[in-house]
Amino acid sequence: MRRWLILFISLLLATLSATTALPATAFTPKPPRLTTPWTNQVSVTNPLPEYPRPQLTRTDWQSLNGVWQFAPAATLDSPPTGSNLAEEVLVPYPIESALSGIQRHEERMYYRRTFTVPASWSGQHVQLNFGSVMWQSKVWVNGTLLGSHEGGYDAFSYDITSALRAGSNEIIVGVWAPVDTQDIPLGKQRLNRGGIWYTPSSGIWQTVWLEPTAATRITRLDTTPNVAAGGLDLVVQGSSAGQSVHAQVLSGGQVVGEASGTTGAQFRVPVPNARLWSPDDPFLYELKVTLGSDAVGGYFGMRSVGKAMLGGVLRPTLNGKFVFQLGTLDQGYWPDGLYTAPTDDALRFDLEQQKALGFNMVRKHIKVESARWFYWADKLGLMVWQDMPALVAGRNASATGEARYETELRRMVDNHKGITSIVQWIPFNEGWGEFQAGRITDLVKSLDPTRLVNHNSGSNCCDSDPDPGNGDIIDDHMYVGPAVARAPSSTRVLQLGEFGGLGLHVPGHEWSTGDTFAYEMLPTSEALTNRYVQVADQLPDLITGSGLSGSVYTEPTDVEDEINGFFTYDRQVHKMDFAKVREVNLRVLAAANGTKLPTGKLVSFRVTTPNYTNRYLRHVNGVAGTEVVDANSNQGLKQDASFWVRSGLSNSGCYSFESRNFPGQYLRQRDLRIYKEANSGGTFAADATFCTRPGLSGGGTSLESAARPGFFLRHRNSEVWLDADTGGSYRDDATWNLVPTWWKSGADLSVGQVRTFRVTTAGFTNRVLRHLDGNARTDVIDANSSLTDRRDASFVIRPGLADSTCYSLESLNFPGQYLRHSNYRLSKATSDGTATFQKDATFCAQPPRAGGAGNVSLQSINYPTYYVRHASELVYIATNGGANAWDGGSSYDADTTWADQAGLGG
């Protein structure tokens, strides 16, 4: 008897051991390569404790995040029911992450844990919810298979009521994560990571939780703000269709509108005198919806998204107005949690920092984030361009892969219709896994006609198929940029989907121990900051001159081998001066809304009135008017239509406009008519000062007279006046696009004459620009030098090969050969007739950067922040603060200033 008792107790203890999940020792995550400020804040008993679904909240719930048992598996056909697994994993961190405690990839795996249903849930249905699992999952509760789910980026749920038992219950989740061995949507995950491809994020990577519900319940809230109709168009999705529901909209806890409808059908809830959501005012309304005994909460912002022809350019609109969408390429990776931010504070941090840097948009790059990430974007006021995670790049997907992609694409759009911040869908990126792009674009538009659709970001490059021509967006990628390859059309707005990628090494804060990657490396934080400012400062010309409506800088943080972030990958180090980054970003946004102009630059005033957008403000015989100007116009007309932007003569916060070809003469009003005149004293300063306002027609700039408040610069019948609002076409007539100038040179060279360019840097003024053995350099050459040397240092000034408003320098002793830059170095070469050569050999004369009568600086036409500069006897195009050894430095202005003198060679 005793022997049988001992055997029974042993079996009982074994059974109890097999059905509990208590670790023998306390679980600790593995140390990551880099720790973030939140790594050590991760709780192993209750990680990510926040309610995970802000758009559909219930008051009662139970998180299942924490330590689960774990084991690799050969198949997912034999769940280890009732058996302890050998390892432990911290859910919801991907198994490849350090925080998971596994820190390796497994293609197939099992998770296991036990739970107890609270007694207070008795009589209710119990839902088991998964935020996301990468990629295919099977779920068992107490040995009962509940179902299988494919897709790594969408939430799913099971009603587990019938599988429950009293006391302890067991969950087993089997996962298949093939990564790039199969055709699945996976974004940048790769088994063989490196460069722009990253460590996989397999398994359970978002919160798992339980909640009690009624048998008939609400499953989703599809919220569509209808600003024009003054209400919220709401579809309450439910476990069954046609059930009665009631919705209330609240502001500050007070009900402002309510209505009733049925599940599955749209109805409108009034939102009177709506406060509109925008990046400047990200106001959110509360939403309460009831279906029988089921009550859920949610939120939404009132805003409209569209596109409109404004100032003669098709622009995206937010609440009916053009808002330039200035964003970053946010990839959503963490060194400790990979796809999963270590804490909710960390998740919020990335978005807060981007907003603090002056950005108003974020492109979520080929990843779909958790519901709480979208909540923070909504709450903080960042517009979102949402990418679809790509199929594997560089190969055509199978029919199965295409079907998987399309299924997940539909879910992505359907599940995020209620996200206020999303303003654009992007099905493909650079052609990675692209197929039937025209049809896919139309599909997305049919699923959600309320947002813009970009068929393929970076369709000018890489693996992209031919542009199908549909959708709402033309999207170019240009590194380093910024630049665009195309123009907006009458149906599609233009955006720069990626540019930048400026890098900086920060030892001790880098993930990689091997090769690192950036599109351009800078040596110091100061140089990186200066280069970013220089690059960003080029955006306004693209906005006004090329019709650019949005841009995406790569990127907010370093990511694994990529080291081109504002932050290091661990979020520990600011790689740039953030105050200067914010300053230039706000300057770009102000330029886009028409309130900030670039002082010290030449501009032209383009008419924005429909049917007259080929006309420009010009002066002739001292009177301002408008006239058609184009590439074939003569020199006098182009120069008359070009003006220097100066600080306002009577108010430095406003602007005055100096004639390009009549220095010291300004546009001024006299008896409301606009003239070009020299300063005559008296009221002249005020009469010649104009204050910028956002374009009255919704795009461009309007210029209000400092002398006559309420009166704006306006054209009528080819004449230019100050007028108050007279109705009719006034708002269009009083709105101008201040575009890059028709005459690009701000200084003059003597076309047809032979000139020599002498160095002006102190201590080197006996040296001149010359070519030798085909390369440009500086040497000591004077009247006593050999004829060959003197002729090598002499150039015939020609109209620019690429633009006649600039200049090309033809060799005196090698006719037909010109100075051109290639890989930054200047050399002498014969034109090959290509557009590239013509641009490389064209330089715009500008006022001398270091000053001095008779001096000039020579600006590259195709690298507009680069000037001809001598460095250690050699000659380059160089930029102030760039990455090259010949860039920047204290002598930059002097080195890029040349004395324009009579040619030494005759």
Side-chain angles (χ1 to χ4, degrees), residues 602 619 639-646 656-667 676-677 746:
L602 285 166
H619 58 77
Q639 289 189 343
D640 285 353
S642 301
F643 299 87
W644 290 105
V645 179
R646 306 299 190 193
S656 294
F657 303 100
E658 183 181 9
S659 168
R660 156 65 177 83
N661 51 341
F662 289 88
Q665 298 193 37
Y666 293 82
L667 293 180
K676 170 193 64 72
E677 294 180 352

Side-chain angles (χ1 to χ4, degrees), residues 842-860:
T842 300
F843 304 91
C844 302
Q846 302 297 355
R849 295 182 62 89
N855 293 344
V856 68
S857 291
L858 299 171
Q859 179 186 32
S860 168

Side-chain angles (χ1 to χ4, degrees), residues 323-350:
V323 178
F324 186 80
Q325 298 180 13
L326 184 73
T328 63
L329 193 75
D330 190 321
Q331 315 222 44
Y333 276 79
W334 300 81
D336 44 16
L338 298 178
Y339 252 26
T340 307
T343 69
D344 194 60
D345 285 343
L347 193 71
R348 184 182 73 243
F349 173 86
D350 272 11

Side-chain angles (χ1 to χ4, degrees), residues 221-241:
L221 302 176
D222 293 342
T223 55
T224 303
N226 192 328
V227 174
L232 174 72
D233 289 341
L234 177 64
V235 178
V236 179
Q237 306 289 357
S239 56
S240 58

